[in-house]
Amino acid sequence: MAAAVPADPWLALRAHTPARIALGRSGASLPTREWLGFAAAHALARDAVQVPLDTAALRRQLSADGWPLLPTLRSRAPDRASYLRRPDWGRRLQPDSAALLQPAPARAGDPAALPPAPDLAIVLGDGPSALALQSHAAPLLAALREALGVMPGRPAPVLAPLAIAEQARVALADEVGALLNARLVLMLLGERPGLSSPDSLGAYLTHAPAIGCTDAQRNCVSNIRPEGLAIGPAAQRIAWLVHEALRRRVTGIALKDDSGTPLLAPDVAAGGPAGDAGAAGAAVSGADAVAGVDGAGAMPGQNGNA
């Protein structure tokens, strides 16, 4: 008697990727197990888009870790439905939030009394997956703080207080960085969920942030999550980019990642399980980001997070 699900010769490759390959068949259809798995992954992706960020919990966690925090910021998108329909609203601060970042001496007409400009402002945006930010932002920041301060021969950069932004897209960080007069801005953002990665976090680094910066001016480290690019290697890669961006005064297509950090975690390089297909760890320049090479599985020409 023939088996209900014939053996697939690609089955051994499934150990190396969560991508949906070698699913088998039952007659002319997918096996019930695979169909149910697809439906569950689709539901997780939809939930990741719709579930709001628990901002209060994230603020408590970051405060407990010793991070100074700015007041919570909001984009011009008033709610999730508007955020999804109007990406441009997610790229600009709501006027009241922008006013919170105006330094008091500037409001009083005394620019000479402005505080020193920070080297780096870090913005935490919910993006299309608040789940990613909720799950991975705190451990990534802890690892990044250590990595930024321990690189030999390089002084630790001066950091601005952290900013958490709701209904945010990547470009929102440009306005925040400009208002804080920061040399660099780093946006940590939940990436557009994929069918195998509802919790992928992206990091976007921009030198001389200003409203109107393009994706070609950014470096992106994507697919940060336990099943993709692990927290430790991601922090090392971001720290290297931060130091080099400060030294060379550029990011994006002018700053290639030649940090020498292995692209694959040791167990993966040795043949163990990998993350998303082709994205076990991705650090790409602005030119690549424009082409949609991100861990959330964007198709060429699309950047669902921008």
Side-chain angles (χ1 to χ4, degrees):
M1 171 183 273
V5 180
D8 192 305
W10 286 25
L11 195 59
L13 298 179
R14 296 192 67 177
H16 302 283
T17 174
R20 285 183 164 75
I21 63 171
L23 301 181
R25 60 182 174 82
S26 178
S29 303
L30 283 174
T32 302
R33 179 187 64 248
E34 300 298 341
W35 172 247
L36 292 176
F38 178 87
H42 188 235
L44 287 173
R46 290 177 62 89
D47 284 352
V49 171
Q50 297 294 345
V51 171
L53 178 68
D54 188 343
T55 306
L58 183 58
R59 291 185 68 90
R60 285 196 300 271
Q61 186 174 9
L62 295 173
S63 294
D65 291 344
W67 290 99
L69 292 164
L70 292 168
T72 300
L73 308 176
R74 292 190 62 85
S75 77
R76 295 185 180 182
D79 50 47
R80 200 59 170 173
S82 302
Y83 171 83
L84 295 173
R85 287 196 299 266
R86 292 291 303 265
D88 55 322
W89 287 355
R91 299 180 186 124
R92 293 295 308 274
L93 285 170
Q94 197 255 4
D96 288 348
S97 289
L100 292 172
L101 301 181
Q102 295 287 347
R107 288 198 298 267
D110 185 13
L114 284 171
D119 294 318
L120 176 64
I122 302 177
V123 183
L124 285 65
D126 48 4
S129 172
L131 172 66
L133 191 72
Q134 201 89 55
S135 303
H136 309 315
L140 177 62
L141 285 168
L144 180 60
R145 179 163 53 188
E146 181 178 356
L148 286 171
V150 300
M151 288 202 163
R154 303 186 185 193
V158 176
L159 304 184
L162 298 181
I164 299 176
E166 297 175 341
Q167 313 294 2
R169 293 189 184 268
V170 173
L172 188 82
D174 298 336
E175 186 171 5
V176 176
L179 288 169
L180 294 176
N181 198 28
R183 297 174 63 193
L184 293 174
V185 69
L186 175 68
M187 169 63 97
L188 302 181
L189 187 98
E191 295 178 331
R192 185 181 60 181
L195 285 174
S196 59
S197 56
D199 62 339
S200 180
L201 188 67
Y204 299 80
L205 183 67
T206 309
H207 176 260
I211 295 172
C213 284
T214 68
D215 284 349
Q217 295 170 263
R218 314 185 200 286
N219 288 85
C220 174
V221 178
S222 71
N223 198 27
I224 302 170
R225 61 193 184 101
E227 297 81 7
L229 180 60
I231 295 293
Q236 290 291 332
R237 191 174 299 277
I238 296 168
W240 185 91
L241 288 168
V242 167
H243 282 295
E244 285 303 298
L246 290 172
R247 185 176 71 86
R248 304 184 199 181
R249 301 181 180 181
V250 293
T251 49
I253 59 174
L255 178 61
K256 292 298 182 185
D257 179 8
D258 53 0
S259 61
T261 305
L263 284 174
L264 298 178
D267 61 328
V268 177
D276 272 359
V284 298
S285 69
D288 293 327
V290 170
V293 183
D294 67 18
M299 298 297 291
Q302 296 178 328
N303 185 350
N305 311 311

